């Protein structure tokens, strides 16, 4: 019996990229977006189901992470990942989108006040833990908060609004609160 290697030979199945960031152990962008789509779908199926996206960038106050040093910066990034995992619920999704940006998806959020408490807790812990690593590193943590409901059309709009919330939080400066809170009032069209 002969085995033919013809054009009918099945193609290799592409290996799925691991859903975890190798430096932090946090989820990657594609996994986060998948979970965000699931939350949006759930909000449309369950009345009063809300979820939140929290976003912040880790940017040294100095002239850039090159000034901090590569190894010190890697330690900061790892510490951010470990701190976030210890602060949030196991059911929450934490992701690193690019070297400096962290997203958190909190599902089944009862109200917006709890998000402010969580953002404050994250900010305090990160500032404390980063200072323990190296007291020369000063990183202002400005957390954008977006509380979502079924009114959002898709995840692209949610991510765009979350980025905008983070920009507003960053623009407020040290004298003001470190976050910006926004609730969806958009209605989907069918």
């Amino acid at each position: 019996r002969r085995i033919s290697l013809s054009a009918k030979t099945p193609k290799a199945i592409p290996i799925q990229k691991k859903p975890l960031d190798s430096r932090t152990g946090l989820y990657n962008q594609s996994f986060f977006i998948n979970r965000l789509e699931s939350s949006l779908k759930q909000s449309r199926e369950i009345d009063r189901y809300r979820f939140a996206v929290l976003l912040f960038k880790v940017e040294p106050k100095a002239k850039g992470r090159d000034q901090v040093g590569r190894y010190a910066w890697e330690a900061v990034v790892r510490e951010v990942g470990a701190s976030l995992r210890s602060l949030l619920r196991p059911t929450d999704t934490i992701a690193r989108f690019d070297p400096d940006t962290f997203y958190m998806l909190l599902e089944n959020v009862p109200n917006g006040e709890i998000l402010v408490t969580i953002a404050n807790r994250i900010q305090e812990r990160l500032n404390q833990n980063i200072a323990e690593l190296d007291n020369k590193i000063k990183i202002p943590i400005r957390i954008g908060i977006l509380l979502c409901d079924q009114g959002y059309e898709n995840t692209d709009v949610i991510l765009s609004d979350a980025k905008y919330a983070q920009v507003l939080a960053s623009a407020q400066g040290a004298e003001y609160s470190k976050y910006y809170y926004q609730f969806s009032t958009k209605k989907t069209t069918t």
Side-chain angles (χ1 to χ4, degrees):
R1 188 171 189 208
R2 289 182 153 187
I3 298 175
S4 170
L5 296 176
S6 66
K8 293 183 181 180
T9 303
K11 294 181 180 179
I13 298 171
I15 297 172
Q16 293 290 325
K17 186 177 177 184
K18 290 184 180 180
L20 297 178
D21 175 70
S22 62
R23 289 196 175 108
T24 61
L26 301 177
Y27 290 109
N28 62 24
Q29 182 175 356
S30 64
F31 185 86
F32 183 88
I33 291 172
N34 186 23
R35 295 291 302 142
L36 186 58
E37 287 171 351
S38 175
S39 290
L40 183 56
K41 182 179 178 185
Q42 198 166 359
S43 74
R44 292 178 180 149
E45 294 172 355
I46 300 172
D47 191 34
R48 296 188 185 140
Y49 180 86
R50 295 181 186 162
F51 58 97
V53 175
L54 283 70
L55 160 66
F56 69 93
K57 292 185 176 195
V58 179
E59 300 171 314
K61 204 172 186 180
K63 295 179 181 173
R65 67 179 162 214
D66 294 336
Q67 297 282 20
V68 173
R70 180 177 174 214
Y71 296 108
W73 186 252
E74 290 297 323
V76 167
V77 168
R78 281 191 304 276
E79 182 56 43
V80 167
S83 295
L84 292 176
R85 281 192 308 275
S86 73
L87 287 167
L88 298 177
R89 303 172 296 185
T91 55
D92 297 330
T93 305
I94 310 163
R96 181 179 178 206
F97 272 41
D98 57 54
D100 302 336
T101 307
F102 295 84
Y103 282 78
M104 295 154 281
L105 172 63
L106 285 63
E107 299 185 64
N108 201 18
V109 176
N111 58 54
E113 291 79 27
I114 192 76
L115 298 173
V116 173
T117 302
I118 291 168
N120 283 331
R121 193 172 57 192
I122 290 169
Q123 178 190 10
E124 289 169 12
R125 175 79 61 86
L126 289 176
N127 285 335
Q128 175 187 3
N129 291 357
I130 290 169
E132 288 175 7
L133 283 175
D134 186 344
N135 62 8
K136 296 174 191 164
I137 301 173
K138 302 293 182 210
I139 300 174
I141 304 295
R142 308 282 190 255
I143 301 173
I145 300 173
L146 183 68
L147 181 60
C148 306
D149 61 11
Q150 76 279 1
Y152 274 95
E153 296 174 23
N154 58 51
T155 58
D156 290 337
V157 176
I158 293 170
L159 293 174
S160 176
D161 282 359
K163 287 178 187 175
Y164 183 65
Q166 197 279 323
V167 166
L168 290 174
S170 292
Q172 289 179 351
E175 306 83 45
Y176 302 98
S177 63
K178 310 297 188 273
Y179 41 78
Y180 176 79
Y181 168 73
Q182 180 178 340
F183 183 75
S184 165
T185 56
K186 302 171 184 168
K187 296 296 171 202
T188 56
T189 57
T190 54

